[in-house]
Every structure is written in structure tokens, then in C-alpha cells.
Amino acid sequence: AQTVTQSQPEMSVQEAETVTLSCTYDTSENNYYLFWYKQPPSRQMILVIRQEAYKQQNATENRFSVNFQKAAKSFSLKISDSQLGDTAMYFCAFATRNRDDKIIFGKGTRLHILP
Amino acid sequence: DVKVTQSSRYLVKRTGEKVFLECVQDMDHENMFWYRQDPGLGLRLIYFSYDVKMKEKGDIPEGYSVSREKKERFSLILESASTNQTSMYLCASSLLITGGRSYNSPLHFGNGTRLTVT
């Protein structure tokens, strides 16, 4: 079975620091996508970043970047120069065509950015 | 921007009641999904739909049904609400990617409905 594991239920960092959220997954597939979603306290979940498994280059979106290690099945999210608005629940997610197009989510990491 | 609207932010219902959760999206997305979110369990897929009148079971469909009579609207129905269905319910939509597969298509979520069954 394909699984997504986020080993850090909760984290706190000071504003302006860099923080890394961990995610590992388990699959026998070669062709898949990985996502990080953010759910701020107002609750609407939004996509932060997306990575295609066949691309070697790590995806970046402004202050957000990923460290994708395909062999290790690891997909961590790095937030640089963290801001108070980054306080949220972060979900790692995985999707492969052999899962009938369903996206599998991890259990989430609650991130607190402290002033 | 895609807007996914869930009809209620908070809902309180009694055990045994029939409950309807409504979701509407305004971007002509083919795919729509219902998830429930519980602390420590993350998001779990209840049902999804790729087209009008079409539905597929997710990972936890028991106790739920869905209806998709129009492309923009996807309803989640709790036939007889029970206390273990107290949860946050999230609706999402996504675009159908050319070729009939959508696994790489980002989800757009609504604000969620917090349902309490007493």
C-alpha cells in the first residue's frame, strides 16, 4: 500500500528562521507527483508546491523549496525567512496514476512561527 | 481564482438526522472530492466524482452517500448521522487533465464545514 508519513506532528520556529518539514512516502511506482499543501488557521487549504517524480530539479516557489530524494523516497519542504503568515498546518501529499487519480495525504505538521 | 464554496461553516445535528453538505465550484472543474479531516488522522477521502451523475468510493465511504446532478455542485449526504461522524468536512475540485488522468492536477479546497453530531 502507498503511504505518506510526516514524522513531525508539531514544530515551532522563530520568525525569519529557516525551517524544514519532513515527508517520506512509500510506493513501487515510478511515475507520480508530490505536493505540499498549507492550511492556515482560517482553514482553506492551498497548494504550496508540486514536484514531478521524473524531474531531477527540486521545485521552488519563492521562499518555499523542496528537497526531493527519489531513491530515499523523501520529499521535505524548506521555508526560508519564515513569516508569521506561514503559521499553518502543512500536509504532504502523493498521487500516482495507479491510485485511480486519488491523492494520498500525510497526517500533517502543525507549524508555529513565533514573533 | 477558483472558488469552492461550502454552504455552511458550522453545523450541529442530532443523531439519526439526515444531513446534507453542499459544495459548489465556479471554475468548470470536472473532478470533485469530499474529505474528512480529523486530528492525528489527516485527510481521508470519502467520495469523489469525475463527471455529472458519476461517483466513486474513496477510502471511508461507509455511512455516506453523494450526489452530483450538476457539474458545479457536489453534495455529501449523511443518511443517518452518528456521533462518530463529528468532523471537519472539506470539499475540493480539480481540473481534468488531457488524456483522462488527473493525478497531477492540484486540488482547490473550500473553507470546510465543521459538523457536530450530538
Side-chain angles (χ1 to χ4, degrees):
Chain A
Q2 287 147 338
T3 58
V4 176
T5 302
Q6 294 179 248
S7 58
Q8 305 146 312
E10 197 157 0
M11 298 178 72
S12 297
V13 296
Q14 294 293 136
E15 191 177 7
E17 287 185 353
T18 293
V19 59
T20 298
L21 280 59
S22 302
C23 174
T24 58
Y25 57 94
D26 188 23
T27 184
S28 57
E29 302 297 328
N30 245 337
N31 202 7
Y32 52 87
Y33 276 75
L34 294 157
F35 308 83
W36 278 98
Y37 283 88
K38 170 185 177 181
Q39 187 182 39
S42 62
R43 292 184 298 162
Q44 186 170 30
M45 188 105 62
I46 57 173
L47 178 69
V48 175
I49 201 163
R50 177 174 64 169
Q51 175 79 41
E52 301 168 47
Y54 61 86
K55 286 191 176 177
Q56 298 283 355
Q57 189 172 4
N58 289 325
T60 62
E61 287 287 342
N62 301 312
R63 296 182 296 107
F64 297 87
S65 61
V66 297
N67 183 7
F68 174 47
Q69 302 287 332
K70 191 172 183 179
K73 296 179 183 173
S74 171
F75 183 61
S76 60
L77 175 69
K78 185 171 87 170
I79 306 173
S80 303
D81 186 26
S82 57
Q83 301 174 359
L84 297 178
D86 296 332
T87 291
M89 183 75 100
Y90 287 83
F91 292 95
C92 179
F94 166 94
T96 173
R97 63 173 63 230
N98 291 321
R99 270 281 292 181
D100 299 321
D101 298 344
K102 289 182 281 189
I103 297 178
I104 305 166
F105 285 85
K107 293 182 179 180
T109 296
R110 187 173 297 280
L111 176 65
H112 303 273
I113 308 298
L114 307 172
Chain B
D1 275 353
V2 177
K3 192 165 182 185
V4 179
T5 304
Q6 294 184 232
S7 54
S8 305
R9 291 289 290 264
Y10 300 93
L11 213 51
V12 180
K13 295 292 182 180
R14 293 193 181 277
T15 301
E17 276 193 81
K18 191 169 185 175
V19 181
F20 292 86
L21 302 184
E22 305 287 346
C23 175
V24 177
Q25 51 93 5
D26 67 357
M27 281 300 289
D28 204 34
H29 282 178
E30 290 82 4
N31 308 324
M32 295 189 76
F33 306 82
W34 275 106
Y35 290 88
R36 65 177 281 176
Q37 182 181 4
D38 300 288
L41 297 178
L43 273 70
R44 293 180 292 167
L45 182 63
I46 305 171
Y47 267 97
F48 59 105
S49 168
Y50 291 143
D51 203 350
V52 175
K53 296 193 186 295
M54 179 271 180
K55 61 185 179 184
E56 294 282 347
K57 291 181 180 178
D59 299 314
I60 52 163
E62 297 77 19
Y64 303 94
S65 63
V66 290
S67 171
R68 192 156 180 210
E69 296 296 319
K70 293 184 178 181
K71 189 175 184 179
E72 67 270 18
R73 186 180 296 271
F74 192 35
S75 303
L76 180 69
I77 303 155
L78 286 65
E79 296 289 343
S80 178
S82 63
T83 54
N84 63 13
Q85 292 177 311
T86 290
S87 186
M88 171 71 77
Y89 290 88
L90 296 177
C91 176
S93 72
S94 71
L95 194 61
L96 181 69
I97 302 297
T98 304
R101 288 292 179 182
S102 303
Y103 66 105
N104 56 348
S105 182
L107 295 174
H108 298 265
F109 286 88
N111 277 330
T113 296
R114 184 167 294 284
L115 173 67
T116 302
V117 182
T118 61

